[in-house]
Amino acid sequence: YYCRICYCLRIVGGQVARFCTTYDAAIYSLIMALQSHEEAPPVLPCERIGSGNLCLFADDDVGLQLARLSLISVGEKFRDDQIDSNNLSLPLNKAIEAAKEAEPVIAQSSYEGTNRINQLQDSSAPLSEVFAAYGDMAAASISQFLDMTPETEELVRSISEWNFFMDMLCDYEDDYKSGAFNGFKKEGLPTFSAYFNAHYNEFMDVAEAVTNRLVAALMAVRDDSRI
């Protein structure tokens, strides 16, 4: 599923677009397959330069849509970080704009979702509201590919919240230094270790909530597919 996104990114955006391959898109691909019971993508050796395998994905509509979603998400990341003028984004600009043109509804929902998340972060809203906004954005995007069952939507939302939780955890010290938003960040505690020691109970409450939601969502679909 990860290779599927990589090959499809090459089709819609060229070689440089393959740098946008993420496990997020691969996991969404897995979830969609879980509900639809679609046939798994082929297992292929990596073609860093060759193009023999590309024909196998030329008609993979879902894979190509997910590839465009990946590009749109990267574009929103650039915009959110205010690094649109950074040279790192320049090789991807054409591919990102093409993805937005091909998937205007997803592009608009991603744009609105990012703005909503920024508003919540700037207003010091409770973490639960920020988590929910990430879940809303993910669900809005995946709903363009699939008429989701309640169980599938809950799985998408819980994974989105878990990803955001882990990002805050892993980026704590970088966010502290840069001044970027981090829901755990506390003044005078520049390392995650320092924060954890001072706010253990607060952290564990959040960790327990997002973990329990994810486990419950996984348990709800565990008998549906070997995936």
Side-chain angles (χ1 to χ4, degrees):
Y1 287 90
Y2 185 82
C3 295
R4 172 199 205 182
I5 302 301
C6 185
Y7 277 113
C8 288
L9 274 164
R10 184 175 174 188
I11 292 172
V12 302
Q15 281 282 31
V16 71
R18 300 173 87 176
F19 285 104
C20 301
T21 308
T22 66
Y23 282 105
D24 292 38
I27 289 171
Y28 290 143
S29 180
L30 276 165
I31 293 171
M32 292 163 66
L34 185 151
Q35 179 178 312
S36 65
H37 301 287
E38 70 173 10
E39 186 176 345
V43 178
L44 301 167
C46 181
E47 287 185 337
R48 293 176 176 83
I49 298 176
S51 58
N53 290 335
L54 288 181
C55 62
L56 299 175
F57 297 94
D59 298 321
D60 183 354
D61 292 337
V62 171
L64 296 172
Q65 280 187 299
L66 285 167
R68 295 186 190 102
L69 171 59
S70 299
L71 284 165
I72 290 168
S73 298
V74 168
E76 283 303 306
K77 177 64 175 174
F78 283 141
R79 185 174 72 84
D80 186 40
D81 289 346
Q82 297 181 333
I83 59 171
D84 297 277
S85 60
N86 190 300
N87 289 334
L88 286 174
S89 70
L90 292 178
L92 290 170
N93 284 346
K94 185 176 180 179
I96 290 170
E97 290 305 313
K100 289 180 179 179
E101 290 180 13
E103 304 290 346
V105 176
I106 293 176
Q108 183 63 28
S109 67
S110 296
Y111 177 84
E112 293 174 354
T114 301
N115 287 346
R116 172 62 176 158
I117 289 165
N118 287 336
Q119 290 171 358
L120 290 171
Q121 292 175 350
D122 292 340
S123 67
S124 300
L127 263 183
S128 58
E129 291 187 29
V130 183
F131 280 138
Y134 273 95
D136 289 343
M137 186 163 63
S141 294
I142 300 305
S143 68
Q144 302 304 312
F145 305 81
L146 183 72
D147 184 13
M148 291 185 288
T149 66
E151 292 80 10
T152 299
E153 181 172 344
E154 175 61 14
L155 188 54
V156 167
R157 289 179 178 276
S158 64
I159 287 175
S160 179
E161 292 192 4
W162 173 261
N163 284 344
F164 176 56
F165 167 72
M166 291 303 297
D167 281 345
M168 286 195 299
L169 202 95
C170 296
D171 296 344
Y172 182 97
E173 290 171 30
D174 288 341
D175 290 341
Y176 191 94
K177 291 175 183 176
S178 68
F181 173 84
N182 189 302
F184 295 139
K185 189 169 63 178
K186 301 291 184 183
E187 189 67 32
L189 301 174
T191 66
F192 179 76
S193 177
Y195 160 78
F196 183 81
N197 289 330
H199 297 277
Y200 172 83
N201 289 332
E202 172 190 306
F203 173 79
M204 292 306 296
D205 285 345
V206 177
E208 183 177 24
V210 296
T211 303
N212 286 349
R213 181 173 186 179
L214 177 58
V215 170
L218 289 168
M219 293 295 286
V221 299
R222 66 175 182 160
D223 294 328
D224 290 352
S225 165
R226 63 187 177 86
I227 293 173

